[in-house]
């Protein structure tokens, strides 16, 4: 496995691979890799010939009051995990390599970036789309793999790819969970053992919503209140939102449609903010 740290070398390598007919699959990450990333890399392996994993903690997607500086980093461990999972190249640039001091170009995908996650993190998604577009231009992938855990991010990236005509296939891979239901996340490392146990309430609340939605007789307010009760039993510091979303438009559902519903939530335990979601298919 090769480690590439500068933009020009990565672009040249991508060009060489493309010319030799190889299919490049990108797995963008912010590092501190875990089994969730491992599953994205495994998925990437079957989608092409060369798997590029980017490891870059992107400053532009963190607001000044967020956890950019304390975001967990362990590049040595990332290299081992990525290699064992079958990655071929790690792209690991410095902040200076990715952003000049004068950087002022951002991609804004509109209203959807201000809903749900965006209501609590208004500048987050423009940082994500900007860095992802840069990573696309640098690693020149045919396919890129993202996790369903960041469902709104995946939706926005698909929208950007479609509206800006990137010739890249976006694949979204399922959430990986611990046996107790906690969705894997690099931020779980902030949780104390007791908070980790309490945080299993997110999955219990999502499972409850599934049961109620599949039963068929409900209103969104009733289910939201029941989920809130489940979450409150775990003594969270704050419940940011519990939302019922149409996954095709990423708009909040007002009526109860046939088809698929995305239930998404964000909850804080201490200073740790966790997100999770569940896709529920109704016939
Ligand atoms: O999902 C993430 O880890 C990040 O938002 C991403 C897509 C790597 C962009 O920095």
């Amino acid at each position: 496995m090769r480690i590439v740290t500068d933009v020009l070398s990565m672009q040249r390598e991508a060009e060489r691979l493309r010319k030799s007919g190889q299919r490049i699959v990108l797995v963008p990450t912010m590092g501190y890799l875990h089994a969730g990333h491992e599953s994205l890399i495994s998925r990437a392996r079957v989608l092409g010939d060369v798997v590029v994993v980017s490891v870059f903690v992107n400053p532009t997607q963190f607001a000044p009051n967020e956890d950019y500086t304390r975001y967990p980093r362990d590049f040595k461990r990332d290299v081992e995990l990525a290699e064992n999972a079958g990655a071929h190249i790690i792209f690991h640039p410095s902040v200076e390599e990715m952003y000049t001091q004068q950087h002022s170009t951002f991609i804004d995908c509109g209203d959807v970036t201000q809903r749900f996650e965006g209501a609590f993190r208004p500048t987050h998604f423009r940082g994500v789309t900007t860095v992802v577009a840069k990573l696309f231009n640098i690693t020149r992938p045919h396919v890129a793999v993202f996790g369903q855990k960041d469902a709104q991010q995946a939706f926005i990236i698909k929208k950007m790819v479609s509206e800006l005509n990137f010739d890249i296939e976006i694949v979204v891979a399922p959430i990986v969970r611990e046996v107790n239901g906690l969705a894997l996340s690099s931020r779980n490392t902030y949780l104390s053992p007791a908070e980790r146990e309490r945080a299993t309430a997110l999955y219990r609340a999502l499972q409850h919503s599934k049961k109620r939605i599949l039963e068929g007789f409900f209103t969104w307010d009733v289910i939201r209140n029941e989920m809130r009760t489940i979450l409150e039993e775990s003594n969270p510091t704050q419940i940011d939102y519990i939302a019922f979303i149409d996954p095709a438009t990423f708009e909040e559902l007002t009526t109860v449609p046939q088809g698929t519903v995305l239930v998404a939530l964000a909850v804080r335990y201490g200073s740790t903010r966790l997100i999770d979601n569940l896709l529920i298919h109704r016939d």
Side-chain angles (χ1 to χ4, degrees), residues 2 17 35 41 95 133 166 168 170 183 197-198 207 219 225 250 259 271 283:
R2 283 188 57 196
L17 292 166
I41 298 170
V95 173
F166 282 99
I168 299 172
I170 303 300
E197 186 50 44
R198 282 154 58 200
Q207 286 295 344
T219 66
N225 286 337
F250 235 86
S271 58
D283 301 319

Side-chain angles (χ1 to χ4, degrees), residues 149-259:
K149 182 163 160 297
D150 295 291
Q152 192 171 358
Q153 167 174 285
F155 178 89
I156 290 169
I157 286 164
K158 280 189 185 164
K159 183 173 161 70
M160 172 185 81
V161 162
S162 156
E163 294 180 3
L164 296 183
N165 309 99
F166 282 99
D167 185 14
I168 299 172
E169 182 192 344
I170 303 300
V171 171
V172 181
I175 297 176
V176 178
R177 299 180 181 281
E178 292 184 359
V179 274
N180 60 16
L182 181 67
L184 296 195
S185 162
S186 305
R187 287 191 168 98
N188 290 352
T189 185
Y190 300 148
L191 297 168
S192 67
E195 285 173 333
R196 232 185 152 84
E197 186 50 44
R198 282 154 58 200
T200 58
L202 273 73
Y203 191 56
R204 281 201 300 284
L206 288 170
Q207 286 295 344
H208 179 78
S209 73
K210 179 173 179 177
K211 179 173 152 286
R212 296 291 269 126
I213 290 170
L214 294 181
E215 276 168 10
F217 301 100
F218 60 84
T219 66
W220 296 127
D221 279 347
V222 167
I223 301 187
R224 185 180 284 107
N225 286 337
E226 291 170 355
M227 291 174 75
R228 190 172 283 281
T229 303
I230 294 170
L231 291 168
E232 274 164 358
E233 280 162 12
S234 73
N235 201 13
T237 309
Q238 189 175 310
I239 301 170
D240 280 357
Y241 63 85
I242 298 169
F244 304 97
I245 300 167
D246 177 349
T249 59
F250 235 86
E251 288 186 10
E252 179 125 43
L253 287 165
T254 44
T255 58
V256 179
Q258 287 302 315

Side-chain angles (χ1 to χ4, degrees), residues 28-30 58 61 128 131-132 146 150 153:
T29 82
M30 295 208 300
N58 173 38
Q61 68 190 72
V128 170
V131 82
V132 169
F146 293 84
D150 295 291
Q153 167 174 285

